[in-house]
Amino acid sequence: MKVNLKEIISKILRKQKEDKRIKFFTAISTMLAVIITIIFIVYFKCHQSNMASTKLALVYTSFAQGNQKQGIELLDEMISKYPKMPAAYQARLLKADISTQLGVYEEALKLLNDTVKDGKPEKIKPLAQVRIIYVFDTKRDYFNAINASKDFVNKYSDHFLIKDIYLNLAEYYLLSGSKDEALKTFNEILINFPATPEAEKAQKRINEIK
């Protein structure tokens, strides 16, 4: 039997070309599927973000109109439906403020700790930490107010509220009976923030304590 080598080679080459085309179109299809998925995810997140922002606007409107019950219900709905959206973290701060006013401290602390941990955008985290300090201050739990203040100092040393946090930390030490720690903190204010109104207040308190 005569073997036509040229014809066999030709068939092999045609087969390779077909395989390459199949692989090429498979790659194109896969890439398109990935792109469509990404577009869908981005659209879904944008839609959710817009919905959450709209809900937050309704919350402010409700409180402005004196309808606190509806405002709280909307806050709960936002936190439940859009838990990871920036607007939902703002809702957590508002709900925590209301809970603190009502004396529901554990609920307020949970909302605030969640925001400090995962809040978006990043600038909302120190605002939540300040509120944690305030919750303990309201409870007159000065031990935990000290710890929360120290956490703020360690995490957000460049924040615009840092000088106030230092001053309050010193006062919490005094209220808890730690005079030496209070003086140490007031002196840290003099060193870290010289020629500021806070430094003047710190020096005045040092003079009063001594």
Side-chain angles (χ1 to χ4, degrees):
M1 182 178 177
K2 187 177 180 180
V3 178
N4 191 332
L5 185 60
K6 184 177 180 180
E7 186 179 343
I8 292 173
I9 293 172
S10 179
K11 286 182 179 180
I12 292 172
L13 290 174
R14 282 200 303 271
K15 179 64 176 173
Q16 286 179 339
K17 285 181 181 179
E18 288 174 2
D19 288 345
K20 285 181 180 179
R21 286 186 67 207
I22 291 168
K23 289 178 182 178
F24 174 76
F25 286 117
T26 301
I28 289 293
S29 299
T30 303
M31 186 171 64
L32 286 173
V34 170
I35 291 171
I36 291 169
T37 302
I38 291 171
I39 290 171
F40 176 78
I41 291 171
V42 170
Y43 171 80
F44 180 73
K45 286 188 175 181
C46 287
H47 178 69
Q48 277 201 318
S49 180
N50 290 334
M51 290 292 291
S53 297
T54 301
K55 288 281 185 184
L56 187 61
L58 289 174
V59 168
Y60 285 115
T61 301
S62 297
F63 284 119
Q65 294 174 346
N67 194 340
Q68 183 169 329
K69 181 180 178 182
Q70 184 184 47
I72 292 173
E73 288 174 354
L74 286 169
L75 287 174
D76 289 336
E77 183 182 344
M78 284 183 63
I79 294 167
S80 175
K81 283 190 175 181
Y82 315 104
K84 300 300 182 181
M85 293 288 116
Y89 286 108
Q90 293 181 47
R92 284 178 174 86
L93 294 189
L94 289 172
K95 183 69 185 294
D97 289 342
I98 293 167
S99 297
T100 302
Q101 290 174 6
L102 296 175
V104 189
Y105 301 121
E106 294 308 313
E107 180 181 24
L109 288 171
K110 183 183 184 309
L111 291 165
L112 295 171
N113 281 315
D114 287 345
T115 305
V116 168
K117 181 182 177 184
D118 299 315
K120 300 171 186 176
E122 281 293 318
K123 63 183 179 182
I124 205 169
K125 293 183 178 182
L127 300 179
Q129 185 68 32
V130 168
R131 283 169 165 80
I132 290 174
I133 298 169
Y134 177 70
V135 171
F136 289 126
D137 183 292
T138 304
K139 291 177 65 179
R140 296 186 180 182
D141 182 351
Y142 301 123
F143 175 79
N144 280 312
I146 288 169
N147 288 334
S149 298
K150 288 165 71 175
D151 282 344
F152 188 100
V153 169
N154 292 331
K155 293 177 182 176
Y156 313 111
S157 59
D158 295 328
H159 197 270
F160 72 93
L161 289 173
I162 190 66
K163 295 189 288 292
D164 294 311
I165 299 299
Y166 262 109
L167 280 172
N168 286 334
L169 175 58
E171 295 296 343
Y172 292 141
Y173 276 127
L174 283 175
L175 289 167
S176 65
S178 301
K179 180 180 174 182
D180 290 341
E181 289 296 328
L183 288 170
K184 178 183 175 183
T185 305
F186 282 129
N187 278 303
E188 285 178 2
I189 295 170
L190 297 179
I191 294 168
N192 295 329
F193 315 107
T196 63
E198 289 77 15
E200 291 179 12
K201 292 177 183 178
Q203 186 60 64
K204 182 179 179 181
R205 293 294 285 135
I206 290 171
N207 295 339
E208 290 172 352
I209 294 168
K210 289 182 176 180

